[in-house]
Amino acid sequence: MKTILIADDDEDVRTVFGMSLERYYRVLEAATGPSALELTSRERPDLIVLDWTMPGSSRIEILTALRQDPLTANMPVIMLTGKEEEADQTRAAALGAYAFLVKPVSPPQLLKTIRQAMGEKGVAG
């Protein structure tokens, strides 16, 4: 079973997404930037759903760290944000983010994006 890391400081977001994804994937959760990096290093998830701004990290620090590590450089990352700012999207895309979704994001929309990022067939909602 593939593993997804949901890294978001909002417990409700982690819970809703975790519950909707757990029937398809093994789900890990992190509430801070440092814990997301530690879990990624230890567990090597197949994909990360990453909140744009989290405690313990700058706006782009986690994505930059992932791209600098040869073991995670090509790991798909889906960025989540509460604000729709083109400059943020451009910056995330330049660092190799697969997608940039603006909250609120529905669980079916997230599942579809995850499956697309991992090249999976049979996208369901």
Side-chain angles (χ1 to χ4, degrees), residues 2-119:
K2 292 185 178 179
T3 301
I4 305 294
L5 170 60
I6 302 169
D8 196 304
D9 60 326
D10 186 327
E11 183 177 359
D12 292 337
V13 169
R14 292 192 317 272
T15 299
V16 168
F17 288 157
M19 289 174 57
S20 66
L21 296 173
E22 68 187 2
R23 54 188 267 214
Y24 306 103
Y25 305 102
R26 177 176 166 242
V27 177
L28 306 173
E29 296 181 15
T32 67
S35 64
L37 289 173
E38 189 275 326
L39 264 174
T40 299
S41 176
R42 189 179 68 223
E43 299 288 334
R44 297 287 182 222
D46 297 285
L47 180 140
I48 300 174
V49 177
L50 180 61
D51 188 23
W52 186 248
T53 307
M54 293 196 339
S57 60
S58 68
R59 295 176 64 85
I60 203 80
E61 183 178 272
I62 299 167
L63 186 55
T64 300
L66 291 170
R67 294 305 175 233
Q68 291 174 347
D69 181 343
L71 296 174
T72 59
N74 296 312
M75 183 180 292
V77 177
I78 297 170
M79 302 295 297
L80 298 177
T81 184
K83 298 179 182 176
E84 187 171 356
E85 296 189 22
E86 191 172 324
D88 290 343
Q89 293 180 30
T90 301
R91 195 165 176 201
L95 286 170
Y98 176 80
F100 196 93
L101 302 176
V102 179
K103 295 176 185 176
V105 176
S106 71
Q109 178 186 12
L110 180 61
L111 177 60
K112 180 179 179 180
T113 305
I114 288 169
R115 288 189 166 169
Q116 289 170 341
M118 293 198 295

